[in-house]
């Protein structure tokens, strides 16, 4: 077993014991590491500890799990890795005591592909059906 500390964007933290059972990262409040982000799955990905190393595994998410910009399904984690799920970034680090730390940045509030800053123009001529 190894220790994983989840440092949330609000400054609070949660200490978890990691093993071969995945620590689930997802939108559900019951997740080991709950993340409020509309673009992640309820059960998105997980972190496991085996062979003396932490591993990241996608758990069938809709939008994918990314490490350092590349989509992954399962991979070993190294200090400095950035895990991107939805609009949320989690930074994987190891502190001086040897515990793994997952530092969460705030999720973006962006909800679409573009932003409209003024009224939409109206068509100049009515459309006719063919």
């Amino acid at each position: 077993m190894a220790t994983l500390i989840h440092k949330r964007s609000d400054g609070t933290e949660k200490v978890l014991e990691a093993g071969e059972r995945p620590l689930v990262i997802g939108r559900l409040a019951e997740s080991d590491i709950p993340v409020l982000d509309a673009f992640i799955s309820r059960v998105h990905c997980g972190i496991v500890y085996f062979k003396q190393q932490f591993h990241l595994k996608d758990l069938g998410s809709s939008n994918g799990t990314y490490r350092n910009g590349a989509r992954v399904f399962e991979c070993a984690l190294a200090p400095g890795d950035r895990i991107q799920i939805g609009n949320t970034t989690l930074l994987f680090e190891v502190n001086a005591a040897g515990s793994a730390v997952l530092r969460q940045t705030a999720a973006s509030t962006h909800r679409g592909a573009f932003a409209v800053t003024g009224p939409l123009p109206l068509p100049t001529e009515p459309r006719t059906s063919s």
Side-chain angles (χ1 to χ4, degrees):
M1 296 287 263
T3 302
L4 177 73
I5 303 168
H6 174 216
K7 293 197 174 199
R8 300 177 187 105
S9 56
D10 64 5
T12 61
E13 60 183 52
K14 181 179 180 182
V15 178
L16 302 157
E17 290 298 320
E20 291 189 20
R21 181 192 70 79
L23 293 173
V24 174
I25 301 171
R27 205 173 64 230
L28 290 176
E30 298 81 25
S31 297
D32 297 303
I33 302 171
V35 176
L36 296 175
D37 183 335
F39 292 99
I40 71 168
S41 299
R42 290 182 205 113
V43 176
H44 196 97
C45 61
I47 294 181
V48 296
Y49 184 79
F50 65 93
K51 295 185 180 177
Q52 304 297 312
Q53 192 168 18
F54 284 92
H55 297 258
L56 174 66
K57 181 175 181 163
D58 187 275
L59 298 175
S61 68
S62 298
N63 293 325
T65 300
Y66 296 81
R67 183 192 65 179
N68 301 329
R71 187 166 187 173
V72 295
F73 295 95
E74 189 168 351
C75 65
L77 289 171
D81 280 349
R82 293 187 174 279
I83 301 165
Q84 181 78 33
I85 54 172
N87 287 327
T88 301
T89 300
L90 301 161
L91 179 62
F92 182 80
E93 303 170 322
V94 176
N95 66 18
S99 295
V101 177
L102 201 56
R103 189 176 311 278
Q104 179 179 337
T105 63
S108 166
T109 58
H110 180 68
R111 295 288 184 243
F114 61 92
V116 177
T117 57
L120 292 173
L122 297 173
T124 55
E125 296 181 21
R127 293 185 181 188
T128 59
S129 58
S130 311

